[in-house]
Amino acid sequence: MKILVINCGSSSLKYQLFDMEKEEVMVKGLVERIGIEGSRLIQEVEGKDKFIIEKEMKDHTKAVSYVFEALTDKENGVINDLSEIDGVGHRFVHGGEKIAKSVIIDDEVKKAVKEYTKFAPLHNPANLMGLEACEKLLPNVKNVAVFDTAFHQTMPQENYLYGIDYKFYEKYSLRKYGFHGTSHKYITKRVSELLEKPQEKVNLVSCHLGNGSSLCAVKNGESIDTTMGLTPLEGLVMGTRSGDLDPTVVTFLMDNENMTTDEVNNELNKHSGVLGISGVSSDFRDLEEAQEKGNEKADAALKMFSNRVKKYLAGYMAEIENCDAIVFTGGIGENSITMREDIMKGFEQFGIKIDHDKNNVRGGEHVISTEDSSVKVMVVATNEELMIAKDTQNLI
Ligand code: ADP
């Protein structure tokens, strides 16, 4: 069985074609600048040169048509005919309270996606555009939606409500939803396999640390709490997002900088976080380099990041009670040896100890704690695309 996984942004589209028998990626690609001058598709197949198509792509339908052209290209493609694609899995961002698991897309699902566009104004419409392009160009193939929010729908009320008048929850569904659900779900599944423990008995804290970062408390295989909120802005200090703030900061900026709601949103999502603090970069490799050279702001940004993670990590361990594992994933979680060390410092008093040699790894799947550590600490590379492909395979 072959499953195509599509992840659409407002002007970009990432794709991977999976051979599900081998659980292998046959091809991956990226379309950039959709609807903007200079559109191009770059496709990679192992052992072959990159294949590039540079043509005008005025919308997602055009972009998807070039994806299909690239997949079936005689020299650079991997399939002879589109009929070899058995299903398409789409990454969707916000399914609100309506969607608690991956689903075959029908009118109800589309309605929910449109309804929750109010909380994901850039992502949900882009996801729909990718879907509609596939419906048009591959009319006989089933489409499955895998939502970033779905895994967190098991959170109890006490963890998803905000401390504001309940009427706002009733009126607008204003609450915490959480994101990165596909990654946290993959980690839960993979750790249950690695620990040889049934998924419904696994307790862990999944630390997805990347450009966007979130922690998830998993109890008995289900998400019970997570750091991102109504939108991905809440929680940890991120590459360019502020994370938790006193909400008065927002009203103060609006009053004193004459900022509109859009401008404040843009500031807090795009110019804040470790980028805003350091003035150096949102990339942790640049920050670590600047820190080594004595840049005090880069040093403060990295310390803010690790302290915020520590705060949630300790809280979540208390929430789940019997923690089997603390798991690091995402670009930073998988690759930054020093960040993992910094975060875990302070947990030694609870008997949780990192083995410094074992921690000297990037990517893969490893236990990095000492034999006598009271909780296992692990690095597990995430694979959201494979999770989407598997859910799609199961549903179709
Ligand atoms: P996204 O959230 O966009 O999927 P990733 O999960 O790929 O992002 O994470 C990107 C982050 O991972 C960047 O901040 C990058 O600096 C960081 N990263 C990647 N490799 C390393 C490394 N070797 N050391 C430190 N940070 C790294």
Side-chain angles (χ1 to χ4, degrees), residues 76-336:
N76 302 285
V78 288
I79 52 174
N80 295 317
D81 194 271
L82 291 179
S83 62
E84 291 177 46
I85 300 174
D86 298 291
V88 185
H90 297 261
R91 178 198 174 210
F92 270 73
V93 170
H94 215 306
E97 289 187 309
K98 295 270 158 68
I99 293 164
K101 53 185 186 338
S102 303
V103 282
I104 291 185
I105 300 172
D106 58 16
D107 288 344
E108 277 301 296
V109 176
K110 287 188 198 171
K111 213 171 117 197
V113 173
K114 283 182 188 146
E115 184 184 337
Y116 285 97
T117 292
K118 63 185 174 190
F119 300 142
L122 295 179
H123 289 98
N124 276 17
N127 301 155
L128 274 178
M129 282 193 275
L131 164 69
E132 279 158 11
C134 288
E135 285 178 333
K136 206 154 133 193
L137 300 170
L138 274 185
N140 299 320
V141 174
K142 284 205 171 79
N143 291 286
V144 167
V146 178
F147 285 84
D148 279 2
T149 50
F151 184 61
H152 302 298
Q153 278 299 303
T154 43
M155 279 191 291
Q157 236 190 9
E158 61 270 25
N159 287 346
Y160 71 66
L161 286 177
Y162 288 124
I164 54 176
D165 195 319
Y166 196 82
K167 72 179 178 206
F168 295 122
Y169 167 60
E170 291 178 312
K171 192 168 174 191
Y172 300 111
S173 310
L174 275 182
R175 49 160 283 184
K176 179 188 278 279
Y177 289 97
F179 297 84
H180 284 148
T182 313
S183 174
H184 294 307
K185 180 173 155 183
Y186 175 85
I187 293 298
T188 305
K189 189 169 179 298
R190 199 60 204 121
V191 169
S192 101
E193 287 162 2
L194 292 168
L195 299 183
E196 295 177 5
K197 198 169 178 182
Q199 198 170 316
E200 62 278 10
K201 292 198 174 141
V202 167
N203 298 327
L204 58 85
V205 182
S206 168
C207 308
H208 180 115
L209 311 178
N211 253 327
S213 295
S214 73
L215 261 57
C216 177
V218 174
K219 186 166 181 160
N220 299 325
E222 292 184 337
S223 169
I224 60 156
D225 209 347
T226 192
T227 55
M228 284 177 169
L230 174 73
T231 75
L233 187 55
E234 192 181 338
L236 305 174
V237 179
M238 302 177 220
T240 62
R241 296 190 191 115
S242 64
D244 297 339
L245 284 177
D246 180 336
T248 314
V249 172
V250 175
T251 48
F252 185 92
L253 284 178
M254 292 179 86
D255 289 343
N256 289 273
E257 292 276 317
N258 279 329
M259 281 178 159
T260 62
T261 48
D262 278 351
E263 283 167 346
V264 179
N265 272 333
N266 197 42
E267 179 64 30
L268 297 181
N269 276 292
K270 302 269 168 66
H271 305 289
S272 300
V274 292
L275 170 68
I277 296 151
S278 69
V280 172
S281 172
S282 62
D283 191 304
F284 277 59
R285 285 165 290 201
D286 300 338
L287 290 168
E288 287 175 5
E289 208 181 301
Q291 184 187 41
E292 263 172 42
K293 289 186 185 143
N295 184 314
E296 286 178 12
K297 287 183 187 158
D299 182 59
L302 288 168
K303 284 181 176 150
M304 280 177 76
F305 182 88
S306 63
N307 279 348
R308 189 76 59 90
V309 175
K310 274 182 217 262
K311 177 176 102 167
Y312 277 111
L313 179 53
Y316 284 178
M317 290 180 69
E319 271 193 62
I320 59 178
E321 293 177 72
N322 294 306
C323 187
D324 297 309
I326 296 163
V327 191
F328 287 100
T329 195
I332 301 160
E334 289 165 33
N335 294 302
S336 178

